[in-house]
Amino acid sequence: MSEHILEARGIGVRFGGVHALTGVDLSLRPGEVCGLIGPNGAGKTTLFDVVSGIRRPDRGRVLLDGADITRRSPVWRARHGLRRTFQRQQLFGQLTVADNLLVAQEWRGGGGGLAADLLAAPTRRTHERERRARASTVLRECGLAPLADDYAGALPVGRARMVELARAVADPPKVLLLDEPASGMTADERGQLSAVVRHLAEEENCAVLLVEHNVAFVMELCARVVVLDLGSVLAEGTAAEVRANPEVRDAYLGTTAA
């Protein structure tokens, strides 16, 4: 069994004549928070799409808990604990905040017609209680309990981002991919986001991969940072190591002279 819960090995993606990713290797351990940074066009979202199953790579493999999932669907990956959020908000705007979290757990309900429903009624009631208990816990941890009955589509951007995170973890994940989760958040909301991510890693042993343009936020939150540039891994290490890397300063953070 691998020590890594998630591995991307030699990932290559090409759009026509453009190489979006060229042999990218990336791995995550359970309970780790890793930042993925780089300039626009570096390939960060493309890598997220490959890992989450939205795009199949031209070469390379994706492994979850040691098993090759390269050809598995996004739904299969989600049901086996690999979740993500998106740059563009993807909430069910006409549902309440609480119902957004309940929908994320609905796949556990099963099916099978009226007879099966009658036979499984006690089990279904148990599942329903468990789903609502988990949703209530996550809402509280994310600071969303007062908004539980509000419609998701009416929320300001920062709160909506937090609902997206809450929905992604409503059913406990093994791996969580967060694509610019702090976009549109206030400083207080970013602090709350950091607290939730740390809780997921430390208390629920979830591996978190974070793409975020707020470099200071990434450096403060993440134990390890990976830098992509032109579709390749430019650097990898602790926040201090990456910050001190002259190639990273030139490519992304800005040189001292600049």
Side-chain angles (χ1 to χ4, degrees):
M1 183 68 68
S2 173
E3 64 176 325
H4 298 105
I5 186 66
L6 178 71
E7 297 174 83
R9 298 180 180 175
I11 301 299
V13 174
R14 186 172 62 184
F15 300 107
V18 177
H19 291 270
L21 296 173
T22 55
V24 171
D25 293 323
L26 187 145
S27 60
L28 287 175
R29 293 181 175 87
E32 178 181 24
V33 181
C34 179
L36 182 64
I37 65 172
N40 288 332
K44 304 183 296 295
T45 296
T46 300
L47 182 59
F48 264 35
D49 288 348
V50 169
V51 171
S52 60
I54 292 174
R55 180 174 297 280
R56 186 167 294 176
D58 296 308
R59 60 185 178 92
R61 297 191 300 157
V62 178
L63 284 75
L64 180 64
D65 213 8
D68 191 335
I69 63 168
T70 310
R71 293 184 173 275
R72 294 291 189 178
S73 70
V75 172
W76 188 96
R77 299 181 200 207
R79 289 188 171 186
H80 286 78
L82 197 161
R83 314 281 163 65
R84 73 169 290 183
T85 63
F86 294 83
Q87 290 181 19
R88 294 183 62 184
Q89 290 182 16
Q90 302 285 337
L91 293 177
F92 299 111
Q94 295 184 339
L95 297 182
T96 66
V97 170
D99 282 344
N100 266 267
L101 272 64
L102 292 174
V103 165
Q105 304 176 70
E106 189 64 28
W107 67 272
R108 290 187 178 276
L114 178 59
D117 287 347
L118 292 173
L119 290 172
T123 301
R124 288 179 178 275
R125 287 195 293 270
T126 299
H127 286 169
E128 181 66 15
R129 286 194 296 269
E130 291 173 350
R131 284 198 294 266
R132 291 188 178 279
R134 172 66 182 180
S136 295
T137 297
V138 173
L139 287 172
R140 185 174 63 255
E141 291 173 348
C142 293
L144 296 169
L147 305 176
D149 295 325
D150 290 4
Y151 287 105
L155 297 177
V157 174
R159 294 287 83 190
R161 290 288 187 193
M162 189 62 77
V163 175
E164 286 184 310
L165 170 60
R167 189 179 61 183
V169 303
D171 189 55
K174 296 178 181 178
V175 178
L176 179 62
L177 312 179
L178 298 176
D179 199 348
E180 297 190 32
S183 176
M185 284 189 168
T186 65
D188 288 344
E189 289 168 340
R190 287 195 299 271
Q192 190 171 48
L193 171 63
S194 294
V196 172
V197 170
R198 287 196 177 98
H199 172 81
L200 287 167
E202 296 169 5
E203 302 300 327
E204 301 194 15
N205 207 33
C206 177
V208 181
L209 183 61
L210 171 78
V211 165
E212 180 56 59
H213 285 295
N214 188 326
V215 178
F217 178 79
V218 173
M219 297 297 184
E220 192 273 333
L221 175 60
C222 300
R224 182 165 61 97
V225 178
V226 176
V227 185
L228 283 185
D229 187 36
L230 299 176
S232 300
V233 175
L234 177 65
E236 179 178 352
T238 66
E241 290 169 341
V242 168
R243 193 182 291 115
N245 188 311
E247 291 183 300
V248 175
R249 292 201 302 268
D250 288 342
Y252 186 46
L253 301 179
T255 63
T256 303

